[in-house]
Structure formats: C-alpha cells, structure tokens
C-alpha cells in the first residue's frame, strides 16, 4: 500500500528574494509577507497535479500588495487578488501596472473586497 503514496517534499521554500520589479518604497510595508519560493512552489504543485494550466484564472483571497500576481503572470495565468485595505490595493495596483509593462504572458487584477464574501463576489 505504501507504494501508492505520493510524497511531495516542500523544503527550501524560503531562500529566494523578490526581484526588484515592484514599487520599491511601499511594497514591503504589508505586515503579512511571504517567500517567493513558496509562491512558486504552490504554483508548481498546482500545475504538476493538473489543477491549473496556462490561461486559467487563479484567485488570491489575501492579495496584500499583489506579489503573488507576479509569478501568476509569468506563468501565463490570470490572477485576481482580493485585498481589504485600500492602501494595499493601491500598492498592488502600482505593482501590477509595472509588471504589465513587462509584457508577461498572464494578467493580474486586484479588487478591494472582503474575501469572506468571495461566494457573493463570484455570483
């Protein structure tokens, strides 16, 4: 039976820094930061399991300053982020505008919204 178990190793997810392609002055003011390697590992895992493929939509209910959108765009995904605080929505919008000028294969949009209302927003 153990031969049927798939082991997925989630190690070394915290050693990579973000490239300098973001709004420098404000991006890291958000209190809930995450590692870029972890974001890439999540996308890699979802792709390898067939849960997402290029051209599809991904939703980030805790968008913050939009950093998860950058790798989504690089991978040709259409990223929608929800952020509650208008200050961080503005920073995310500025980051997305910067990345759109790079002509990445995907796109990103951030909305000021409460992710607890996600079902209502998607209706």
């Amino acid at each position: 039976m153990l031969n049927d178990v798939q082991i997925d190793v989630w190690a070394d997810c915290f050693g990579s820094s973000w490239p300098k392609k973001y709004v420098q002055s404000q991006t890291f003011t958000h209190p809930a930061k995450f590692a870029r390697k972890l974001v890439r590992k999540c996308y890699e895992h979802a792709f390898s399991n067939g849960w997402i493929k290029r051209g599809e939509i991904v939703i980030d209910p805790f968008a913050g300053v939009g950093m998860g959108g950058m790798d989504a765009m690089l991978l040709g995904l259409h990223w929608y982020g929800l952020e509650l605080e208008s200050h961080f929505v503005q920073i995310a919008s500025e980051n997305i505008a910067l990345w759109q000028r790079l002509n990445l294969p995907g796109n990103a949009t951030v909305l000021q919204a409460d992710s607890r209302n996600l079902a209502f927003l998607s209706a």
Side-chain angles (χ1 to χ4, degrees):
M1 283 293 180
L2 287 179
N3 292 343
D4 294 338
V5 175
Q6 179 182 353
I7 297 174
D8 191 7
V9 178
W10 285 65
D12 190 33
C13 292
F14 300 99
S16 179
S17 64
W18 290 95
K20 300 292 184 197
K21 292 191 177 11
Y22 51 84
V23 180
Q24 301 283 333
S25 62
Q26 297 291 311
T27 292
F28 289 101
T29 62
H30 195 282
K33 298 164 193 66
F34 54 86
R36 183 161 190 230
K37 272 189 172 182
L38 181 59
V39 172
R40 290 193 322 236
K41 178 67 176 178
C42 290
Y43 284 129
E44 175 186 301
H45 185 73
F47 271 103
S48 68
N49 282 288
W51 299 335
I52 56 172
K53 48 188 179 272
R54 221 177 160 92
E56 291 189 332
I57 294 171
V58 293
I59 297 174
D60 183 344
F62 309 108
V65 295
M67 297 300 279
M70 182 174 62
D71 279 300
M73 291 174 73
L74 284 165
L75 294 167
L77 296 168
H78 306 295
W79 181 90
Y80 288 88
L82 306 178
E83 173 55 43
L84 188 59
E85 296 187 39
S86 61
H87 172 70
F88 296 121
V89 170
Q90 179 61 39
I91 296 169
S93 296
E94 291 174 23
N95 280 326
I96 291 167
L98 176 66
W99 303 328
Q100 287 171 335
R101 290 192 294 271
L102 299 174
N103 295 317
L104 302 177
N107 60 47
T109 303
V110 65
L111 306 169
Q112 184 172 1
D114 187 335
S115 62
R116 293 174 293 185
N117 298 326
L118 184 58
F120 174 75
L121 292 169
S122 63

